[in-house]
Amino acid sequence: DFIREIIAGDRASGKNGGRVVTRFPPEPNGYLHIGHAKSICLNFGIAEENPGAVCRLRFDDTNPIKESTEYTESIKADVRWLGFSWEGEPRYTSGYFEMLYCFAEELIVAGKAYVCDLGADEIRAWRGTLTEPGRESPFRGRSVETNLDLFRRMRAGEFADGSRVLRAKIDMASPNMNLRDPTLYRIRRVTHHQTGDRWCIYPMYDFSHCLSDAIEGVTHSLCTLEFEDNRPLYDWVLDQVTLPGNRPRQIEFSRLQLEYTVVSKRRLLRLVTEGHVSGWDDPRMPTLAGMRRRGYTPGAIRAFARKIGVTKAEGRVELALLEYCLRQDLESRALRVMVVLDPLLVVIDNFPEGVEVVEFQAANHPGDPGMGSRKLAFTREIFIEREDFREDAPKKFKRLVPGGEVRLRYGYVIRCREVVKDPATGEVVRLHCTLDPETLHANPEGRKVKGVVHWVSASRQVPVRLRLYDRLFNKPDPEDVAEGESFIDHLNPGSLVELEARPAESFLASATAGVNYQFERVGYYCLDAKESAGGGLVFNRTVTLRDTWAKIAGREGEEG
Ligand code: ATP
Ligand code: MG
C-alpha cells in the first residue's frame, strides 16, 4: 500500500536516520471498534515488518469530560487481544501537559498566539464560511506581555470556564477554515482521569497531537482522511516551535466503514446508553469486545485488515468479506460437536438388547486428527434435526425419508421403518428406525449411503441455550437516513433470537469460554461466559456455516 511504500522510501533514503516510529492514538472515550482494528493493524503491523521500528500506544486524553479509565483499560486489553504489543509503557497526551504548556508560551513569545475573550458562539460566528473570510478578533493585537500574563492566569485558575481561550494567530482569510486562528487551549474545570485537578486548561487536538508526535519521535503519523484539512495546521504548529527531535509527517488513509453497522463511538455510545444493546460488549456490536464475545478471533480480524488494505478510497466494506475471513479462520481451529436445533425424536428399535449406551470415538477435528477426539454416547433414543426428515421429499433430498436410509455422523446407517404422527395436528412426533450393525463408521462393500445427518443422544445430552445473532441494522448504510429519521430507526428487530434447552452432546458440559466450536452442519458457536455465569450453558452463534444472506439475495435475484 501507499503508506508502506512511503515508509520503505524513507528508510532507503535514510530519512529520520532510518528510524520508523508509529503510534496508535485512541481517545479513551469509548471502546475500540473494527475501524480501530484497521488502524491498529496498520500502525503495529508496520512496526512488526520493519526491523528496529516501534509502535507506541498513546491515549489522546485531552477531553476529560468524555474519558475514563474504564476505556483506557478496555483499549489496552483489546490491542493485546489482537496480538500486538506496544513499545514501553502506554503514553498519555496528559503526560505531556507541562511540555505542551511550554510550547504554547513559546508561541506567545513569538507573537504566534494570543488570548481571546470572545465567547464560543462569537468565535464561531466570526470565523466566516467557506465562501467568506472570517473577521479578526478585537483581541488579536494584544501584546506579548499581556498574552503571557493572561495565559499564565488562565492556568492559575483566575478566569471562569469559557471566558477566554488561547488562539493561534494565523490567517482569518485562509481558504482552509482550520487556519483561521484556531483555538489551542480552553478553560475547563473538570477532573481528569490521569492528572486529577492539576489542570484547569486543556489543549485542543490540533495543538497537542502534532506536538505529542514530535515529543515521542514519531516519524509517520497515520490518521484517517477527515484530518486531511488539519494537516496544514499540524505542520504550522511544528514550524513555529523548537522541536526536540525529528519532524513527524502526517499521512491520511480512508476510514473503514462496514455494511449493516456503524463505527462511530458517538453512535455506539448511544446504542449502549439507550439500551438498544446490552452494553459495549454486546455480541452484535462492531466493538472488539463485542466481537470477541461473539467468537471472532484475532486471526480473522487481522486477515480482514490485510484483505481490505490501506487506500484513500472511501466506501463501505461488505460484511460478507469480514464473515468470509472469520469462516476461513474458524474452519481450521473450531472443535467439532453436535447440537440439534429443532429436535425430532428417533427410536432405534433394534438397538442391542440389554445395552444402554454404545460409545463412539469421534474426531474433534476431522481435518486434523491431532486435534483430539471425544466419546460420543449412542443410545436407543436420539434426536435428529426435524428438517433432515421429509415425508414427501424431492428426488435430490439425500437425507431421511420413510423407508430410506441415512448415515448418522460418526455412527451407523439407519433405516426409517415407521412415522408416528400426532393424530390431532398431523405433526410427526417420532420416527422408528433400525440400525445396520455392519455400517459403523464405514459403508460395507457395494453399499452407498450418501446422506449424513447430525444427531444427539436423547438420554445422554446436555441442554444448551443458543443466542442466534443477525446483523444489527437492516440497511447496508444505516447512516443514510431520510429527514426526521435517525440510524436508530434502522435497527434490525430480529438481530437476536434465543433458543431454549436444545439437546447438545455431553462433551459440551465442559465447554470453556474462548474456544470456538463448530456445531456440525449448523454453524460456529462459542460459550458466553457472562450469560453462563448462572450455571447454564449459553452459546453465541458466531456465524453461520455459509452465507445464508447471499443465498437469499441470490434467490430473490433469480425470481425477480
Ligand atoms: P470515532 O469516530 O469512532 O470516535 P475517532 O477517530 O474519533 O473515531 P480515536 O479514538 O480518535 O477515534 O481513533 C484512534 C485512531 O483510530 C485514530 O488514528 C483514528 O484515525 C483511527 N480510527 C478511528 N476510526 C477508524 C476507522 N473507522 N477506520 C480506520 N481508522 C480509524
Ligand atoms: Mg475522536
Side-chain angles (χ1 to χ4, degrees):
D1 60 66
F2 75 101
I3 292 181
R4 286 176 165 93
E5 275 169 26
I6 291 173
I7 290 176
D10 287 350
R11 278 175 69 99
S13 70
K15 194 175 168 194
N16 303 311
R19 284 179 325 115
V20 173
V21 179
T22 56
R23 85 287 172 263
F24 173 62
E27 188 184 347
N29 61 355
Y31 280 63
L32 297 183
H33 51 62
I34 183 74
H36 291 115
K38 173 178 179 177
S39 174
I40 292 169
C41 290
L42 176 64
N43 282 292
F44 286 95
I46 285 169
E48 280 183 359
E49 296 153 20
N50 290 281
V54 296
C55 178
R56 305 210 174 96
L57 173 63
R58 176 169 81 232
F59 292 105
D60 205 350
D61 55 346
T62 56
N63 187 4
I65 296 175
K66 294 181 175 172
E67 298 164 1
S68 77
T69 46
E70 178 197 346
Y71 296 140
T72 56
E73 291 312 302
S74 76
I75 289 169
K76 287 190 252 179
D78 287 347
V79 174
R80 276 196 217 102
W81 176 71
L82 274 181
F84 294 109
S85 42
W86 49 86
E87 191 262 345
E89 291 295 309
R91 318 285 165 118
Y92 294 84
T93 300
S94 58
Y96 309 137
F97 278 170
E98 191 62 46
M99 280 186 266
L100 294 174
Y101 177 86
C102 293
F103 282 124
E105 286 208 348
E106 190 181 346
L107 280 188
I108 294 173
V109 169
K112 301 288 184 178
Y114 61 97
V115 172
C116 178
D117 303 355
L118 293 179
D121 293 340
E122 288 166 302
I123 289 184
R124 208 169 307 121
W126 288 41
R127 242 177 121 206
T129 64
L130 284 175
T131 48
E132 282 167 54
R135 279 165 61 200
E136 291 189 351
S137 160
F139 306 99
R140 206 175 196 261
R142 276 175 167 160
S143 70
V144 168
E145 291 68 36
T146 309
N147 281 321
L148 259 188
D149 173 59
L150 287 175
F151 189 51
R152 286 176 182 165
R153 286 164 63 196
M154 275 170 65
R155 174 180 182 168
E158 286 188 28
F159 309 122
D161 285 17
S163 61
R164 291 195 156 95
V165 295
L166 182 73
R167 295 176 74 175
K169 192 192 276 189
I170 310 180
D171 179 5
M172 286 309 288
S174 171
N176 184 336
M177 301 284 285
N178 291 298
L179 296 180
R180 295 186 186 173
D181 291 11
T183 298
L184 305 179
Y185 267 90
R186 57 191 169 180
I187 307 173
R188 269 205 177 160
R189 284 173 178 75
V190 184
T191 304
H192 188 287
H193 52 103
Q194 299 296 325
T195 57
D197 293 318
R198 238 175 306 148
W199 292 87
C200 66
I201 55 172
Y202 290 101
M204 303 296 287
Y205 173 89
D206 284 315
F207 180 68
S208 59
H209 203 91
C210 52
L211 290 170
S212 301
D213 284 342
I215 290 166
E216 291 178 358
V218 168
T219 54
H220 300 83
S221 179
L222 314 178
C223 66
T224 37
L225 272 177
E226 68 272 21
F227 291 103
E228 202 165 18
D229 288 344
N230 301 56
R231 187 172 2 111
L233 181 51
Y234 184 102
D235 289 333
W236 182 89
V237 172
L238 294 180
D239 282 341
Q240 311 309 316
V241 300
T242 321
L243 290 183
N246 70 284
R247 193 193 156 94
R249 169 172 176 197
Q250 173 178 311
I251 306 169
E252 308 88 17
F253 61 96
S254 65
R255 272 178 103 73
L256 168 69
Q257 303 234 78
L258 189 62
E259 282 182 349
Y260 300 103
T261 195
V262 292
V263 286
S264 134
K265 280 181 279 182
R266 194 166 42 85
R267 298 219 159 91
L268 296 174
L269 178 64
R270 191 166 157 208
L271 292 175
V272 172
T273 51
E274 291 182 6
H276 301 292
V277 294
S278 63
W280 284 101
D281 67 347
D282 186 302
R284 292 167 294 178
M285 290 280 270
T287 53
L288 297 182
M291 294 171 79
R292 175 167 60 236
R293 190 169 161 198
R294 170 124 166 209
Y296 270 81
T297 56
I301 294 173
R302 290 174 70 153
F304 174 67
R306 269 195 302 278
K307 275 232 161 5
I308 56 174
V310 179
T311 65
K312 282 189 183 278
E314 304 271 11
R316 262 175 209 268
V317 175
E318 283 180 298
L319 184 56
L321 180 63
L322 176 61
E323 297 193 336
Y324 166 82
C325 295
L326 178 59
R327 289 189 185 100
Q328 287 275 308
D329 195 58
L330 292 178
E331 164 64 25
S332 61
R333 71 172 67 243
L335 293 186
R336 270 56 172 176
V337 288
M338 293 195 286
V339 179
V340 173
L341 263 53
D342 186 10
L344 172 62
L345 185 64
V346 172
V347 182
I348 314 288
D349 287 328
N350 67 337
F351 187 78
E353 203 77 44
V355 173
E356 244 185 33
V357 49
V358 181
E359 280 186 341
F360 302 147
Q361 205 67 30
N364 271 350
H365 191 90
D368 179 2
M371 282 178 77
S373 64
R374 65 196 197 268
K375 286 215 164 67
L376 209 51
F378 181 65
T379 51
R380 184 179 167 81
E381 299 198 340
I382 62 171
F383 291 118
I384 64 168
E385 210 72 65
R386 191 166 277 277
E387 65 173 22
D388 284 336
F389 169 77
R390 278 181 68 174
E391 282 198 280
D392 49 351
K395 259 223 162 104
K396 277 200 253 164
F397 189 74
K398 298 223 179 63
R399 294 164 273 165
L400 199 56
V401 296
E405 284 190 320
V406 81
R407 172 173 294 284
L408 298 174
R409 188 106 173 98
Y410 304 118
Y412 295 104
V413 170
I414 57 169
R415 182 180 293 278
C416 178
R417 304 288 179 179
E418 188 192 348
V419 181
V420 180
K421 293 184 185 174
D422 182 323
T425 63
E427 194 199 17
V428 177
V429 289
R430 72 173 181 276
L431 304 177
H432 283 270
C433 295
T434 53
L435 65 80
D436 179 347
E438 305 275 274
T439 57
L440 185 58
H441 300 321
N443 285 341
E445 285 254 67
R447 288 261 304 274
K448 263 200 213 145
V449 180
K450 284 210 185 120
V452 181
V453 301
H454 62 281
W455 56 278
V456 171
S457 158
S459 50
R460 298 283 189 99
Q461 49 109 355
V462 52
V464 296
R465 224 167 85 206
L466 305 178
R467 295 163 71 88
L468 312 185
Y469 300 105
D470 201 347
R471 35 180 74 152
L472 186 51
F473 292 90
N474 49 28
K475 214 171 168 234
D477 179 0
E479 280 142 324
D480 169 30
V481 295
E483 216 176 287
E485 271 186 350
S486 98
F487 71 106
I488 298 286
D489 298 316
H490 297 289
L491 280 164
N492 172 10
S495 61
L496 169 59
V497 173
E498 285 195 88
L499 304 180
E500 298 288 336
R502 294 322 204 242
E505 64 177 89
S506 326
F507 179 74
L508 276 186
S510 58
T512 36
V515 175
N516 296 101
Y517 298 93
Q518 186 192 99
F519 292 2
E520 292 199 46
R521 302 182 62 236
V522 170
Y524 291 103
Y525 286 76
C526 69
L527 187 76
D528 190 304
K530 259 193 191 171
E531 292 286 325
S532 306
L537 289 167
V538 182
F539 287 85
N540 294 322
R541 182 173 72 193
T542 309
V543 68
T544 53
L545 285 185
R546 267 168 245 102
D547 190 346
T548 46
W549 278 98
K551 266 200 306 200
I552 291 168
R555 212 177 302 141
E556 279 169 357
E558 275 165 37
E559 282 162 10

